[in-house]
């Protein structure tokens, strides 16, 4: 068990007036125990309670280390597993449940009144995961360093006649040679007008002189994800493209300059958006400024106009403003930032100066 992380979750639960919780998200269970299982349709749960009488519910088909620092409760496919779970719950207390708990597992507990009530308590885990400890911060630095090195090689894949799909097909091997374990998400490679689609999937579009070339890429190293976007130009860049690029770059840098503990996340979004609006492109910045990241490429929490939560030391999130002119061109520049005690640390170091690939 990751005792310190468990204590933080229990503290969040206590603040919600909840003394017990059933967690089923495999990545959250990994975060708290160091054990990862892909359960598919079978029940898989970590039960936490304020008095420390925790339990780990496991199908006999799951392979886990012998000692995980918590009571393991085994069951077989023929067992009534939720009856087994119910026997461990405090029937007189409300049960906090994971937002991912399937109705097929939750309803049997409700029907037999296994707890005094049932509430979604996922925030207790989500908020804890959103503030990275020192070990997680270092792993995120390493993952992002690999991403920086990979970006330098990706730009070298652009040549006359190459397609987006051909470029994307070479990326995994580059990541693996640099020490990554795999992708944190399928790479986005876009040329020309395709850059105006924020989630464009690589296709057979051929790069042409004057095209914007966008890479939105990330890898996993030791369980932790990286994510970065850079936009280049192939063989030349117009004055209008330069204007759009420099506008997005200023928006990115302005938001980053404001990151420090106590700053509402919505103010970061507002600051970047104002730069783009002042340049006349406000209608073409069509998404939030950023998302949280860690064990998953998108974790709970975002940097958006609707999130007034204040930045805390240990948070890691993206800052990724963009301008997207449908059928024409686009730009996105994305960095990951770690909130420190007195400011922030930018985890990406790949250049953001406008660059032409010849």
């Amino acid at each position: 068990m990751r005792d310190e992380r468990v204590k933080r979750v229990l503290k969040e639960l206590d603040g919600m007036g909840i003394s017990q919780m059933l967690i089923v998200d495999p990545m959250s269970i990994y975060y708290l125990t160091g054990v990862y299982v892909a359960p598919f349709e079978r029940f898989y749960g970590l039960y936490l309670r304020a008095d420390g009488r925790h339990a780990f519910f496991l199908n006999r088909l799951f392979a886990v280390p012998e000692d995980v620092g918590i009571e393991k409760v085994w069951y077989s496919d023929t067992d009534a597993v939720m009856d087994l779970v119910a026997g461990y719950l405090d029937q007189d207390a409300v049960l906090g449940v994971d937002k991912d708990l399937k109705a097929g597992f939750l309803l049997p507990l409700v029907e037999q009144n296994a707890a005094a009530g049932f509430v979604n308590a996922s925030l207790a885990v989500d908020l804890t995961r959103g503030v990275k400890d020192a070990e997680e911060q270092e792993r995120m630095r390493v993952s992002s360093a690999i991403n920086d090195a990979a970006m330098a090689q990706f730009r070298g894949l652009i040549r006359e006649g190459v397609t987006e799909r051909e470029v994307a097909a070479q990326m995994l091997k580059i990541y693996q040679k640099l020490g990554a374990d795999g992708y944190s998400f399928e790479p986005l490679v876009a040329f020309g007008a395709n850059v105006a689609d924020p989630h464009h999937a690589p296709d057979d579009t051929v790069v042409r002189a004057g095209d914007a070339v966008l890479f939105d890429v990330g890898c996993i190293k030791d369980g932790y994800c990286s994510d970065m976007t850079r936009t280049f130009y192939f063989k030349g860049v117009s004055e209008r493209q330069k204007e759009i690029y420099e506008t997005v770059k200023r928006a990115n840098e302005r938001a980053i300059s404001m990151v420090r503990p106590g700053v509402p996340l919505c103010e970061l979004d507002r600051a970047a958006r104002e730069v783009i609006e002042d340049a006349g492109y406000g209608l073409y910045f069509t998404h939030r400024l950023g998302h949280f990241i860690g064990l998953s490429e998108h974790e709970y929490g975002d940097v958006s106009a609707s999130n007034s939560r204040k930045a805390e030391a240990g948070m890691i999130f993206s800052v990724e403003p963009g301008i997207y002119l449908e059928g024409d061109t686009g730009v996105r520049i994305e960095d990951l930032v770690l909130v420190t005690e007195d400011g922030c640390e930018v985890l990406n170091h790949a250049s953001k100066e406008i660059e032409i690939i010849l």
Side-chain angles (χ1 to χ4, degrees):
M1 287 282 282
R2 300 275 191 161
D3 292 335
E4 190 57 38
R5 295 177 186 176
V6 170
K7 287 178 184 177
R8 289 168 58 199
V9 171
L10 291 173
K11 183 177 179 180
E12 292 286 351
L13 287 171
D14 184 62
M16 299 165 67
I18 298 171
S19 61
Q20 57 178 347
M21 181 176 182
L22 186 60
I23 301 167
V24 298
D25 170 43
M27 197 58 76
S28 291
I29 293 175
Y30 170 75
Y31 171 77
L32 294 169
T33 67
V35 175
Y36 184 80
V37 168
F40 301 103
E41 77 279 9
R42 293 179 171 85
F43 181 76
Y44 176 59
L46 176 65
Y47 173 56
L48 300 182
R49 51 189 290 164
D51 62 9
R53 292 160 58 192
H54 313 314
F56 199 2
F57 297 98
L58 299 159
N59 189 286
R60 294 193 182 280
L61 293 176
F62 302 158
V64 301
E66 183 174 343
D67 182 12
V68 294
I70 186 174
E71 179 186 359
K72 290 183 286 189
V73 182
W74 294 98
Y75 74 94
S76 300
D77 283 349
T78 54
D79 294 331
V81 61
M82 299 320 291
D83 289 347
L84 186 64
V85 173
Y88 277 78
L89 304 183
D90 181 352
Q91 192 173 10
D92 298 322
V94 168
L95 176 68
V97 297
D98 193 319
K99 61 181 177 290
D100 292 337
L101 183 61
K102 294 179 179 179
F105 297 133
L106 173 59
L107 291 178
L109 297 178
V110 174
E111 290 165 358
Q112 60 185 289
N113 297 313
F118 301 85
V119 298
N120 182 355
S122 290
L123 272 179
V125 181
D126 292 338
L127 295 178
T128 301
R129 283 179 58 180
V131 178
K132 272 57 181 176
D133 59 31
E135 177 186 343
E136 293 180 287
Q137 293 174 25
E138 184 56 28
R139 291 191 179 191
M140 291 292 290
R141 290 187 187 97
V142 171
S143 186
S144 287
I146 294 174
N147 212 21
D148 283 340
M151 184 66 78
Q153 295 192 33
F154 295 159
R155 67 174 301 289
L157 300 175
I158 304 302
R159 54 178 172 74
E160 197 79 49
V162 76
T163 69
E164 295 169 348
R165 201 187 309 273
E166 288 169 340
V167 171
Q170 301 175 71
M171 289 180 160
L172 182 59
K173 186 175 290 186
I174 289 172
Y175 272 131
Q176 290 173 333
K177 284 185 177 179
L178 290 169
D181 301 319
Y183 291 138
S184 53
F185 58 94
E186 289 294 319
L188 278 66
V189 180
F191 301 156
N194 292 340
V195 177
D197 177 358
H199 284 160
H200 174 73
D203 60 23
D204 293 324
T205 299
V206 176
V207 68
R208 301 186 185 282
D211 277 353
V213 174
L214 180 145
F215 298 124
D216 185 345
V217 293
C219 64
I220 294 178
K221 175 63 176 175
D222 294 331
Y224 283 80
C225 299
S226 56
D227 186 5
M228 173 173 55
T229 306
R230 291 293 184 267
T231 305
F232 304 96
Y233 294 92
F234 184 56
K235 293 191 177 295
V237 58
S238 70
E239 289 304 312
R240 180 164 172 266
Q241 287 173 322
K242 286 181 182 178
E243 176 196 6
I244 294 169
Y245 185 93
E246 293 299 335
T247 298
V248 173
K249 179 170 173 281
R250 287 198 308 274
N252 168 277
E253 292 175 341
R254 181 176 176 187
I256 289 174
S257 73
M258 295 174 57
V259 178
R260 62 182 55 83
V263 174
L265 297 176
C266 57
E267 290 189 8
L268 304 178
D269 182 280
R270 180 74 255 157
R273 206 165 297 277
E274 284 177 351
V275 171
I276 293 174
E277 289 172 349
D278 290 347
Y281 294 101
L283 293 177
Y284 308 104
F285 179 14
T286 55
H287 54 74
R288 63 193 177 184
L289 181 64
H291 59 85
F292 280 51
I293 184 171
L295 286 168
S296 300
E297 191 263 327
H298 278 210
E299 295 193 337
Y300 176 85
D302 65 12
V303 185
S304 70
S306 63
N307 190 358
S308 59
R309 186 181 176 197
K310 294 180 179 179
E312 299 177 43
M315 287 181 173
I316 298 178
F317 49 78
S318 66
V319 174
E320 49 180 305
I323 293 174
Y324 311 96
L325 304 180
E326 186 176 356
D328 186 358
T329 190
V331 173
R332 183 165 64 257
I333 300 173
E334 175 186 17
D335 294 303
L336 298 185
V337 296
L338 162 64
V339 184
T340 62
E341 295 296 336
D342 57 0
C344 77
E345 174 186 345
V346 181
L347 300 186
N348 298 110
H349 303 287
S351 174
K352 291 184 281 193
E353 296 303 313
I354 196 165
E355 185 174 350
I356 299 172
I357 300 173
L358 299 175

